[in-house]
């Protein structure tokens, strides 16, 4: 049976790096409020985490809406591989008259983490660092079936220049398969036309199986998701995480219903280390260089 935490699926060399130090991974979720961000995180935890270091740290909302940035942590461990997972839930925007102000704290949070890490690096005695740099930012798109809104484009542009941006179509169960397919195509077109740089998993040509999986992941972007923490029974008697409808069950982990499994593979099984490395090598490095340039004058 395959392991729920796929760090043990990583290529041997990468696995060595992970097993020595463990891995720290910070995931940010953002987008309008009510799109299922909190539910998604809990679904991700409940379908992929065998053991929480601390169950009380389950991602829980204090209020009906996330009004400020909330950070929760869990330590995942499987077969000796440790992942220190940090989830950053951000205030939903789209509800305010001045939406421009609403995404500012999100961008500032990302920059602040780079700044804090850079300051720690500059200290004469460089010990263990506090590192909350965001490795992946899931941007939740409202399932309108039309296209991206100007606000989505604006925010995604801001984010993509700072962080590994992964667009997600929220509540995929509310769109018919045809509408979902058309919506995906239009979102991809806007992303290309607007030159928004989304995260692209690397294709390792020396491993045909991994290369095929990477190509499939790239082709599936933006990832449609269904979030549910509830177990429901399907008409053929299976008990699954899903959402019950009169016509049947929209299943979280059914690849014909949404891309939840693909996105989980990307985040936890296949590309976690690449997300960490590209954050260090591209996004943090870009921030560091830009700051060095500005501070010269
Ligand atoms: P957040 O404000 O983005 O964190 O959204 P929540 O996770 O609080 O979810 C808002 C509402 O949407 C709740 O009533 C959820 O049960 C519901 N919800 C979450 N995910 C889904 C989904 O995939 N499909 C549907 N139909 N509803 C969802």
């Amino acid at each position: 049976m395959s392991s729920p935490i796929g760090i043990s699926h990583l290529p041997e060399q990468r696995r060595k790096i992970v097993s020595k130090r463990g891995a720290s991974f910070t995931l940010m979720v953002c987008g309008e409020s009510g799109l299922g961000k909190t539910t998604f995180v809990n679904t991700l935890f409940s379908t992929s985490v065998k053991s929480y270091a601390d169950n009380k740290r389950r991602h829980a909302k204090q209020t009906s809406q996330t009004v400020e940035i909330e950070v929760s942590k869990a330590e995942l461990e499987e077969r000796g591989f440790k992942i220190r997972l940090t989830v950053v839930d951000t205030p939903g925007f789209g509800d305010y008259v001045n939406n421009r102000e609403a995404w500012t704290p999100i961008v500032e949070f990302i920059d602040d983490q780079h700044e804090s890490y850079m300051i720690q690096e500059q200290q004469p005695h460089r010990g263990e660092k506090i590192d909350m740099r965001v490795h992946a930012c899931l941007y939740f798109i409202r399932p309108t079936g039309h296209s991206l809104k100007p606000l989505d484009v604006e925010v995604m542009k801001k984010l993509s220049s700072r962080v590994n941006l992964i667009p997600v179509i929220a509540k995929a169960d509310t769109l018919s398969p045809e509408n979902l397919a058309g919506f995906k195509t239009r979102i991809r077109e806007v992303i290309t036309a607007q030159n928004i740089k989304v995260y692209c998993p690397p294709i390792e040509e020396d491993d045909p199986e991994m290369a095929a999986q990477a190509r499939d992941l790239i082709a599936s972007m933006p990832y449609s998701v269904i979030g549910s923490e509830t177990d429901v029974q399907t008409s053929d008697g299976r008990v699954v995480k899903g959402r019950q409808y009169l016509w049947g069950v929209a299943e979280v982990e059914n690849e014909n219903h949404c891309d939840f499994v693909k996105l989980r593979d990307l985040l936890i099984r296949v590309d976690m280390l690449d997300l960490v490395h590209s954050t260090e090598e591209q996004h943090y490095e870009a921030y560091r260089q830009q700051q060095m340039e500005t501070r010269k004058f």
Side-chain angles (χ1 to χ4, degrees):
M1 216 180 105
S2 69
S3 133
I5 303 293
I7 210 84
S8 50
H9 294 252
L10 290 168
E12 193 59 32
Q13 203 186 350
R14 291 190 164 191
R15 204 199 299 176
K16 275 186 199 144
I17 304 168
V18 179
S19 58
K20 259 195 238 151
R21 294 185 292 158
S24 292
F25 188 69
T26 301
L27 176 69
M28 175 182 256
V29 288
C30 68
E32 289 176 36
S33 54
L35 287 186
K37 298 183 289 297
T38 312
T39 311
F40 171 83
V41 169
N42 287 337
T43 311
L44 186 69
F45 280 6
S46 63
T47 60
S48 51
V49 175
K50 238 185 196 168
S51 56
Y52 283 104
D54 179 356
N55 255 325
K56 286 196 293 284
R57 289 192 183 158
R58 187 180 169 72
H59 197 61
K61 259 201 221 183
Q62 307 301 313
T63 55
S64 60
Q65 268 188 12
T66 313
V67 287
E68 54 190 37
I69 287 180
E70 287 174 9
V71 176
S72 48
K73 289 175 189 279
E75 189 163 287
L76 327 179
E77 184 170 354
E78 160 117 345
R79 298 189 205 162
F81 298 111
K82 280 206 177 99
I83 305 169
R84 289 177 295 277
L85 180 65
T86 303
V87 176
V88 182
D89 198 350
T90 59
F93 44 83
D95 325 319
Y96 310 103
V97 178
N98 189 354
N99 282 313
R100 197 151 281 162
E101 293 303 313
W103 51 256
T104 309
I106 301 172
V107 165
E108 280 176 355
F109 180 90
I110 296 170
D111 286 350
D112 284 353
Q113 306 319 309
H114 284 149
E115 179 69 23
S116 151
Y117 192 83
M118 195 174 79
I119 292 170
Q120 293 179 69
E121 270 206 324
Q122 290 163 349
Q123 299 309 307
H125 302 292
R126 297 192 293 178
E128 184 81 8
K129 297 183 193 67
I130 299 166
D131 185 4
M132 282 241 291
R133 290 174 297 175
V134 177
H135 299 122
C137 174
L138 301 185
Y139 185 86
F140 282 66
I141 300 162
R142 183 173 288 281
T144 59
H146 305 302
S147 186
L148 286 178
K149 292 190 279 194
L151 180 65
D152 291 324
V153 172
E154 192 180 342
V155 182
M156 284 169 83
K157 275 189 175 168
K158 292 270 172 216
L159 291 170
S160 67
S161 62
R162 296 173 156 81
V163 73
N164 288 319
L165 176 70
I166 302 174
V168 167
I169 298 176
K171 302 187 180 182
D173 53 312
T174 62
L175 293 172
S176 70
E178 298 75 40
N179 283 347
L180 182 59
F183 191 37
K184 256 194 185 198
T185 308
R186 283 188 290 281
I187 293 172
R188 288 175 73 93
E189 284 167 359
V190 176
I191 285 175
T192 310
Q194 294 283 342
N195 211 3
I196 300 172
K197 209 176 142 288
V198 298
Y199 175 70
C200 193
I203 300 174
E204 316 242 359
E205 293 292 1
D206 51 347
D207 184 336
E209 209 183 310
M210 295 281 284
Q213 189 178 18
R215 283 199 186 89
D216 184 36
L217 286 175
I218 293 166
S220 305
M221 187 282 299
Y223 305 99
S224 59
V225 296
I226 299 170
S228 170
E229 296 174 69
T230 319
D231 287 331
V232 288
Q233 194 164 23
T234 62
S235 54
D236 55 5
R238 288 172 298 122
V239 175
V240 296
K241 289 264 176 299
R243 305 188 81 91
Q244 187 90 55
Y245 285 97
L246 286 175
W247 52 261
V249 172
E251 298 175 35
V252 170
E253 294 178 89
N254 185 330
E255 295 209 46
N256 294 322
H257 294 190
C258 73
D259 301 319
F260 177 86
V261 169
K262 286 196 177 101
L263 181 56
R264 183 181 61 193
D265 278 352
L266 186 158
L267 292 173
I268 297 179
R269 296 195 170 165
V270 188
D271 292 305
M272 183 183 269
L273 283 182
D274 186 67
L275 288 161
V276 172
H277 287 157
S278 51
T279 300
E280 175 83 34
E281 284 155 22
Q282 289 169 28
H283 300 295
Y284 172 66
E285 197 47 33
Y287 178 86
R288 202 185 62 82
Q289 278 187 17
Q290 190 202 12
Q291 293 305 310
M292 292 296 179
E293 290 298 318
T294 8
R295 285 169 205 192
K296 269 187 200 158
F297 303 106

